[in-house]
């Protein structure tokens, strides 16, 4: 079998189109880069909007330390084995998130008004 | 390639798993710009690609599970959440590549099959992480991982296409 076949360019162009589609679909919302939310196990546990160094705890167990400076956030220390959340550095983009899978923590910018309390079950993006 | 001899088949699978585990170990040392567990360059999927195209579905499953388990044991990641996500992704990509090769036969070259495998691997991994965290924001990383996946898919396809002739001589 050869390196390139008949349908290879079709497949490649579909994948590259999907890639650019996913890149373009996100529209950053500048006005929401204020509050930082920390989710533990899918539940929003903390909301921060002031500079400082904070500790994230779950059921009394210390999980990580985060630093907030000028509406940016980074993880200083974490108890997870790979420390990928520390390596990912400052979070600046409102569509991105700092993820720590072993601790089940997601740190992101709080975006919209809370739909869950307004009676809407789910929303897509 | 049809392998009728049972011992020959076992030896071939063993050699492929050993190469895959070595590549797994090397690629986990190389810096990867996306900070997600289980995300790696994917050079060890070279052996899965070779098996899917040249041997068969059952052997592909054996090789993709084997190289992840052996590589995970050597690198100390065995049982880790990143290891489990990587294992499921690599098995899914192996099944996908084998199926694509079976459907399209000669019409699809190594590059097409390899890039489908890379994309499937990324999609499965990110979906699993999103399920575990109950958060859809991790899909932010999908286009970046797809771009890096195409690069490693090309490298894998190039090496496989050049190896093929020698592989059949064994």
């Amino acid at each position: 079998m050869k390196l390139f076949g008949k349908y290879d360019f079709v497949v490649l162009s579909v994948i590259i189109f999907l890639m650019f589609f996913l890149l373009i679909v996100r529209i950053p919302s500048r006005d929401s880069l204020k509050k930082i939310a920390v989710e533990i196990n899918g539940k929003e546990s903390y909301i921060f909007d002031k500079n400082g160094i904070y500790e994230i705890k779950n059921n009394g167990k210390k999980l990580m330390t985060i630093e907030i400076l000028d509406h940016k956030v980074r993880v200083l220390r974490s108890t997870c084995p790979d420390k990928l959340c520390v390596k990912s550095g400052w979070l600046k983009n409102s569509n991105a998130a700092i993820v720590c899978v072993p601790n089940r923590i997601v740190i992101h910018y709080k975006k919209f008004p809370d739909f869950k309390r307004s009676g809407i079950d789910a929303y897509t993006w | 390639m049809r392998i009728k001899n049972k011992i020959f088949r076992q030896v071939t699978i063993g050699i492929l798993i050993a190469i895959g585990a070595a590549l797994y170990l090397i690629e986990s040392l190389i810096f990867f710009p996306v900070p997600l567990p289980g995300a790696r360059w994917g050079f060890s999927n070279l052996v899965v690609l070779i098996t899917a195209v040249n041997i068969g579905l059952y052997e592909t499953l054996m090789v993709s599970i084997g190289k992840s388990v052996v590589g995970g044991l050597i690198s100390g990641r065995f049982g880790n959440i990143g290891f489990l996500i990587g294992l499921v992704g690599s098995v899914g990509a192996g099944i996908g590549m084998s199926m694509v090769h079976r459907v399209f036969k000669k019409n699809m070259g190594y590059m097409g099959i390899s890039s489908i495998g890379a994309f499937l691997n990324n999609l499965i991994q990110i979906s699993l992480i999103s399920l575990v965290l109950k958060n859809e924001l991790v899909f932010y990383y999908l286009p970046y991982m797809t771009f890096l996946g195409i690069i490693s898919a090309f490298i894998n396809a190039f090496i496989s296409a050049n190896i093929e002739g020698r592989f059949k001589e064994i």
Side-chain angles (χ1 to χ4, degrees):
Chain A
M1 212 168 73
K2 296 229 174 71
L3 180 56
F4 288 104
K6 224 196 235 169
Y7 297 133
D8 278 19
F9 290 101
V10 182
V11 168
L12 261 180
S13 43
V14 166
I15 290 176
I16 290 171
F17 172 76
L18 260 174
M19 191 178 86
F20 280 110
F21 178 74
L22 283 168
L23 267 177
I24 291 163
V25 149
R26 302 187 294 251
I27 304 154
S29 42
R30 287 271 161 229
D31 55 336
S32 64
L33 293 171
K34 286 270 158 73
K35 287 183 178 171
I36 287 152
V38 178
E39 277 185 23
I40 304 176
N41 244 328
K43 275 181 215 150
E44 213 167 74
S45 308
Y46 295 88
I47 293 169
F48 300 113
D49 57 352
K50 285 199 177 101
N51 290 352
I53 293 171
Y54 302 96
E55 280 185 354
I56 308 293
K57 286 178 187 169
N58 189 22
N59 296 330
K61 207 177 143 197
K62 201 175 121 187
L63 293 179
M64 61 166 63
T65 312
I66 62 169
E67 183 186 4
I68 295 173
L69 184 69
D70 296 337
H71 304 301
K72 288 183 295 182
V73 61
R74 72 171 169 182
V75 179
L76 289 176
R77 283 183 290 277
S78 174
T79 54
C80 55
D82 289 339
K83 308 269 188 269
L84 284 171
C85 42
V86 182
K87 280 175 200 158
S88 52
W90 290 101
L91 177 69
K92 295 170 204 162
N93 191 327
S94 69
N95 286 308
I98 295 180
V99 170
C100 183
V101 179
N103 286 335
R104 310 278 192 279
I105 290 177
V106 182
I107 302 168
H108 60 90
Y109 285 102
K110 196 161 165 51
K111 285 199 171 159
F112 310 106
D114 211 340
F115 283 128
K116 280 168 193 162
R117 273 176 214 154
S118 66
I120 298 168
D121 293 327
Y123 58 91
T124 58
W125 56 286
Chain B
M1 187 166 81
R2 284 270 167 275
I3 301 179
K4 281 172 188 159
N5 191 342
K6 208 174 170 186
I7 299 168
F8 184 64
R9 195 171 80 174
Q10 283 177 356
V11 171
T12 313
I13 292 173
I15 292 171
L16 286 168
I17 288 176
I19 297 169
L23 286 172
Y24 183 102
L25 200 61
I26 293 165
E27 78 178 351
S28 63
L29 300 175
I30 304 172
F31 173 73
F32 191 70
V34 176
L36 286 180
R40 279 184 308 277
W41 280 100
F43 298 133
S44 64
N45 284 328
L46 171 70
V47 286
V48 181
L49 175 66
I50 290 173
T51 323
V53 172
N54 291 306
I55 309 179
L57 178 60
Y58 173 72
E59 287 83 355
T60 311
L61 281 176
M62 295 276 287
V63 168
S64 56
I65 294 171
K67 69 120 179 138
S68 292
V69 169
V70 176
L73 280 171
I74 297 170
S75 67
R77 290 208 172 89
F78 188 74
N80 205 339
I81 187 114
F83 162 79
L84 290 173
I85 289 167
L87 173 65
V88 177
S90 131
V91 169
I95 294 172
M97 289 195 283
S98 198
M99 288 296 166
V100 167
H101 177 62
R102 221 170 253 199
V103 172
F104 286 98
K105 302 252 161 63
K106 295 255 166 182
N107 287 324
M108 193 83 97
Y110 275 108
M111 186 58 204
I113 295 173
S114 183
S115 43
I116 285 176
F119 185 69
L120 267 180
N121 204 332
N122 294 339
L123 195 66
I124 292 171
Q125 285 186 347
I126 290 206
S127 310
L128 272 179
I129 293 171
S130 157
L131 269 179
V132 167
L133 294 170
K134 302 179 188 114
N135 193 315
E136 72 287 344
L137 272 172
V138 279
F139 278 98
Y140 170 80
Y141 293 110
L142 186 57
Y144 303 107
M145 279 180 82
T146 310
F147 176 69
L148 297 166
I150 289 173
I151 295 173
S152 60
F154 177 73
I155 296 171
N156 283 350
F158 186 76
I159 296 172
S160 313
N162 283 305
I163 279 178
E164 197 191 56
R166 287 161 223 188
F167 188 68
K168 276 179 180 157
E169 280 169 19
I170 308 171

